[in-house]
Amino acid sequence: MRASRPLATLTGIALLGITLAACQDQAGGQITARNGVRLVDTITNPSVHGCHPFSDDVTRVENYTQSSILLYTTPDCTEPPGGSSIYVSMQSSDEAVRSTGLWRSFSIAPE
């Protein structure tokens, strides 16, 4: 038995809606992390939830996602006493300075 066109159209729209809803849990794009000139990590479509530790200390981060991020000097996305996170807007980059220390993790900034 063949499905009617309206039923097929509604099914397609429903599947598209489910796919788009699933994508909202990710920051679409890529984050690259370097220590000097050495590539440390390339993270594609990171989750918007939780903390993302880098595999090594990082001196430069390039945020090519559609979300802003927060960089931390701790591996668990916490701010040490007297310290703070660094905000990096979408489609931009930042470099660590000696006074702040190296970065060890990031999270997606609340919108």
Side-chain angles (χ1 to χ4, degrees):
M1 179 176 185
R2 293 182 58 170
S4 67
R5 283 189 183 188
L7 180 60
T9 301
L10 287 175
T11 302
I13 290 171
L15 288 173
L16 179 61
I18 291 169
T19 302
L20 291 176
C23 292
Q24 292 177 354
D25 285 341
Q26 297 177 333
Q30 193 171 65
I31 294 172
T32 57
R34 298 180 181 279
N35 188 323
V37 296
R38 182 178 57 85
L39 181 64
V40 172
D41 285 318
T42 300
I43 301 110
T44 304
N45 301 328
S47 170
V48 298
H49 306 290
C51 180
H52 306 278
F54 294 117
S55 62
D56 198 1
D57 294 345
V58 172
T59 59
R60 180 175 175 80
V61 172
E62 296 165 346
N63 179 15
Y64 298 117
T65 68
Q66 297 302 314
S67 299
S68 299
I69 62 173
L70 295 170
L71 298 170
Y72 300 90
T73 58
T74 59
D76 59 355
C77 296
T78 57
E79 294 179 6
S84 64
S85 59
I86 301 295
Y87 180 88
V88 180
S89 63
M90 62 180 114
Q91 306 297 317
S92 65
S93 63
D94 201 357
E95 292 193 38
V97 293
R98 287 181 188 216
S99 62
T100 62
L102 301 175
W103 295 312
R104 293 181 173 90
S105 63
F106 75 95
S107 66
I108 303 300
E111 301 280 330

